[in-house]
Amino acid sequence: MPLVRGTRYATIARGSASGFNPLTLNPIGWFDPLFGVYSDARTTPAVDGDPVYRWVSKNSAAVYADQTVLANRPIYRIAANGFGYLDFDGTNDHLVTNITNALGDFTLLAAIRSDGRNFSYERFIDKKYDTGMTLMRESVNSGKWGGGVLNWGSPYGQFVTLADSSWHRIASRRSSTSHLIYGDGGAVSATATVSAAATSADAVYLGAEVG
């Protein structure tokens, strides 16, 4: 399976923390691919090459992301350097979390890589773009990463430029009406004024847009 989007970790947190260490964010969910990745509902740890059924949050066993449909499961990978990641196919692979909080201020953080091919709606953390928030790679222009908050019209947020085919840390932070996108710890950034309204209570998806 070609690497379209590999995900080393994903963090979803309340509040507008500006740090990048998941431990400092008091996260609702902290998904670490070297922890809590299963090929079934929760008894068989995934090994390299397994389709992923469940990914359990590192900071709370009560928070998890599932995919019950075998054809829609990402593949678990272990790189030569020992880092784990989830390999999403860019079309229908995704996990559905049980995170349904309506969020005010929030911080999203992901380590992500694309192989450079363009697909539609490349949202790798999504809570309905129009009534919630999303973290995504732009599907029209290569090397554009970002996202939006309650953005129902094109371009659906703001973006920074980072090369495809390399690992990057992408963060999205809303504080009141201020929305910031950070790339690689702030090496590149973009800001915008957004609505301060709470997001929807839709579940957070990992790897694809909310259906």
Side-chain angles (χ1 to χ4, degrees), residues 65-149:
D66 277 357
Q67 180 51 261
T68 59
V69 179
L70 179 60
N72 294 346
R73 293 176 188 167
I75 302 300
Y76 186 57
R77 302 291 190 193
I78 297 291
N81 60 7
F83 280 111
Y85 61 91
L86 273 65
D87 183 356
F88 296 91
D89 68 2
T91 53
N92 57 8
D93 284 1
H94 65 281
L95 299 172
V96 182
T97 77
N98 63 345
I99 298 171
T100 57
N101 309 64
L103 301 174
D105 291 348
F106 64 80
T107 301
L108 307 176
L109 173 62
I112 199 84
R113 181 175 71 175
S114 168
D115 70 355
R117 293 182 296 163
N118 293 332
F119 294 84
S120 297
Y121 311 114
E122 295 190 60
R123 303 178 193 134
F124 46 91
I125 300 180
D126 193 45
K127 188 179 175 67
K128 287 192 72 70
Y129 70 94
D130 54 345
T131 59
M133 47 66 170
T134 188
L135 200 56
M136 64 187 291
R137 176 180 177 271
E138 191 184 287
S139 57
V140 176
N141 299 305
S142 297
K144 295 290 187 180
W145 303 80
V149 184

Side-chain angles (χ1 to χ4, degrees), residues 132-190:
M133 47 66 170
T134 188
L135 200 56
M136 64 187 291
R137 176 180 177 271
E138 191 184 287
S139 57
V140 176
N141 299 305
S142 297
K144 295 290 187 180
W145 303 80
V149 184
L150 305 170
N151 285 112
W152 52 84
S154 180
Y156 307 106
Q158 55 271 2
F159 299 86
V160 296
T161 301
L162 292 165
D164 290 326
S165 302
S166 297
W167 286 102
H168 299 291
R169 290 178 298 165
I170 312 296
S172 172
R173 177 169 69 95
R174 178 172 73 169
S175 177
S176 185
T177 59
S178 176
H179 181 225
L180 298 91
I181 296 292
Y182 296 98
D184 290 342
V188 290
S189 62

